[in-house]
Amino acid sequence: MNPSHKALQRLDRTHYIQSVAVTTQQMMAIEGRVFAAGMPVAALMEKVAGLITRRLVALYPRLAIAQVGVLVGPGHNGGDALVVARELHFLGYTVLIYCPFNSLKELTQQHADYAASLGIPQVESVDELSGCDLIVDGLFGFGLSRNLEGTLAEAIATLNQLPIPIVSIDLPSGLHTDTGAVLGTAIRATRTLCLGLWKLAFLHDQALEYVGEAELIDFDLPVADIQAVLGETPDVQRLTASTAIATLPLPRHPTTHKYKQGHLLLVCGSGQYMGAAILAGLAARASGVGMLSIAVPDSLKSLLTGQLPDALVIGCPETKSGAIAHLPERVDVSQYQAIACGPGLTPDAIGVVRQVLAAPSPLVLDADGLNILATLGTLPTLAQRPTTTILTPHPGEFKRLFPDVDLSDRLIAARSAARQSGAIVLLKGARLAIANPQGTLWVNPESTPALARGGSGDVLTGLLGGLIAQIVATQYPVANQSIEKTVQTAVWWHAQAAILAKHNRTELGVDAFTLTHYLIRVLQPYFPS
């Protein structure tokens, strides 16, 4: 095998490893296969701890760190921590060990005995770690299921109050591996080095304030063993840049023209919410869609034409409250490759929502499009539409649409809603989740609180609609899988634009209008001219 082929294989493997997330039981099954094949537990511990040590040294060079406190638990996570303590000691760091347990697993005890023989001091109280420059948390890894209480909980509370960076091994101690829930109390880590494969906890909003900056330590679990447990297509996947870029409608064929690049109908805006139509339109334009039509109340037509002169603006009859009453008779909803409906409509736009629900095109419903859907009681009929429906609720809209679905676990909730509705459900949040009716779930692991601004959802709707229109126009007949991938691309692109804008303007400077101008900038490094 030539070196370039090996490099390509490694790249493919890295992408696969970064895209999966596992439960406690799945991780145990994968490791069980590795150990059954002959990998010694002690050898794997040495390898993993060596990789952790190397990363710690890169992040916190010895000249900048005088003293490191290492928290040691009773299991193999504590064993990893003890090997790290030993290696840092050999590299010249001053190390203090805190182990509040009398009984340790055999291998962990052996490492504890050796650390003691090297003269690495063990402290009796976390108060003695207050002079450290860094703390390594190796109390508990994946699989913790009981609440942390008593002296241990008090120790963690003390540690969380110290102005010292904490790096957790695998998971911050005290987090549930599968749900990200806090089990009584938990370490608030500055950084978490997740081991082997991403755990589900990292995809839950409630874990974010505890994991800090998260990164994966890949210790070469065989892909065959992972797939033997998860299958070739895992039920839960993380969105990655390579997956998102692969499904963009770029590069274009040199002989293409506007009618081959899709025609999107946006149905949005009202006298009360004029800006929503502009934001969705600007985002749709940034998607590269060949033709863009925007249906708005008649009173907004001149405003939209001034802001989006390249769009075909359709003035619609409006209600007394300034909402769209219905589409004009001349509008044939079957001529569009995609329809996106909802931003700024107000609940009075019931008639136009009924019209787009009857359209044969893929349909994105957002904002008041969702609220109207909840009042119509037609949710179960979405599966009968001739093509895909995408619902994009935030938690409040979700509860109105799916009042019987428990939102305490957002990943399970998104799956349940997709099965119930027959639609692709995009559940908004800090870690946005996408579910299809077959039970597959994708989660966007990278976002920013800069998106917590009015109008950012309108931007996503316009971008998503424009991308779907292009996919439908260029892939006939279009498969549901292609639309699912396009939803993933739009979610990734939207979040990355916000991240880029945040770096340039801080989190306070990413208003929705600014966000639309960063959409194209995100793609420039991937598609240089």
Side-chain angles (χ1 to χ4, degrees), residues 168-242:
S168 287
I169 297 174
D170 203 20
L171 277 166
S173 295
L175 286 192
H176 192 284
T177 309
D178 300 344
T179 68
V182 175
L183 297 171
T185 188
I187 290 285
R188 293 182 183 272
T190 309
R191 182 180 296 266
T192 301
L193 304 179
C194 185
L195 304 181
L197 295 170
W198 290 105
K199 314 307 184 296
L200 279 186
F202 291 89
L203 302 182
H204 284 277
D205 289 7
Q206 59 192 343
L208 295 185
E209 64 181 289
Y210 295 90
V211 300
E213 294 291 324
E215 60 183 278
L216 188 68
I217 300 295
D218 179 4
F219 56 81
D220 298 311
L221 287 169
V223 170
D225 288 321
I226 301 170
Q227 291 182 334
V229 174
L230 302 183
E232 291 189 11
T233 305
D235 289 340
V236 180
Q237 300 175 47
R238 301 169 73 252
L239 301 189
T240 63
S242 55

Side-chain angles (χ1 to χ4, degrees), residues 337-338 362 364 390 463-473 483 486-487:
Q337 275 73 52
V364 180
I390 300 100
L463 179 66
L464 177 55
L467 285 174
I468 291 175
Q470 293 173 76
I471 290 296
V472 173
I483 294 180
T486 303
V487 174

Side-chain angles (χ1 to χ4, degrees), residues 171-486:
L171 277 166
S173 295
L175 286 192
H176 192 284
T177 309
D178 300 344
T179 68
V182 175
L183 297 171
T185 188
I187 290 285
R188 293 182 183 272
T190 309
R191 182 180 296 266
T192 301
L193 304 179
C194 185
L195 304 181
L197 295 170
W198 290 105
K199 314 307 184 296
L200 279 186
F202 291 89
L203 302 182
H204 284 277
D205 289 7
Q206 59 192 343
L208 295 185
E209 64 181 289
Y210 295 90
V211 300
E213 294 291 324
E215 60 183 278
L216 188 68
I217 300 295
D218 179 4
F219 56 81
D220 298 311
L221 287 169
V223 170
D225 288 321
I226 301 170
Q227 291 182 334
V229 174
L230 302 183
E232 291 189 11
T233 305
D235 289 340
V236 180
Q237 300 175 47
R238 301 169 73 252
L239 301 189
T240 63
S242 55
T243 299
I245 292 301
T247 56
L248 280 168
L250 287 169
R252 289 181 168 183
H253 193 278
T255 62
T256 193
H257 53 75
K258 62 186 177 182
Y259 296 110
K260 289 185 176 181
Q261 294 304 320
H263 192 173
L264 169 67
L265 173 64
L266 274 178
V267 183
C268 47
S270 62
Q272 187 176 356
Y273 302 112
M274 303 179 189
I278 296 172
L279 293 170
L282 290 172
R285 182 168 70 181
S287 77
V289 69
M291 296 286 290
L292 173 60
S293 292
I294 309 177
V296 295
D298 261 323
S299 58
L300 299 189
K301 185 173 180 180
S302 59
L303 173 65
L304 264 293
T305 302
Q307 293 291 329
L308 292 147
D310 48 324
L312 304 175
V313 182
I314 302 168
C316 300
E318 53 187 283
T319 67
K320 291 180 179 180
S321 64
I324 299 174
H326 57 80
L327 295 173
E329 290 185 6
R330 70 179 186 277
V331 175
D332 178 5
V333 292
S334 67
Q335 69 177 303
Y336 303 101
Q337 275 73 52
I339 300 174
C341 173
L345 281 187
T346 79
D348 291 341
I350 296 176
V352 75
V353 172
R354 289 185 187 274
Q355 284 181 279
V356 299
L357 282 169
S361 311
L363 173 64
V364 180
L365 282 178
D366 182 37
D368 278 321
L370 298 171
N371 293 327
I372 291 170
L373 180 65
T375 64
L376 290 175
T378 55
L379 188 64
T381 66
L382 294 181
Q384 300 171 18
R385 294 190 70 248
T387 187
T388 308
T389 308
I390 300 100
L391 309 179
T392 65
H394 59 56
E397 293 159 347
F398 186 95
K399 287 302 294 181
R400 286 188 282 276
L401 279 169
F402 306 100
D404 298 327
V405 176
D406 184 4
L407 258 176
S408 60
D409 187 319
R410 297 178 67 258
L411 306 190
I412 294 175
R415 277 174 156 169
S416 178
R419 288 195 183 99
Q420 184 181 132
S421 64
I424 296 173
V425 174
L426 187 161
L427 178 54
K428 294 172 180 173
R431 291 293 177 264
L432 190 149
I434 305 163
N436 70 10
Q438 292 73 43
T440 305
L441 186 78
W442 299 269
V443 182
N444 184 30
E446 294 183 358
S447 190
T448 168
L451 282 172
R453 299 286 290 268
S456 63
D458 304 331
V459 174
L460 178 58
T461 297
L463 179 66
L464 177 55
L467 285 174
I468 291 175
Q470 293 173 76
I471 290 296
V472 173
T474 57
Q475 294 185 21
Y476 184 83
V478 66
N480 284 341
Q481 188 178 24
S482 298
I483 294 180
E484 289 170 5
K485 290 180 178 178
T486 303

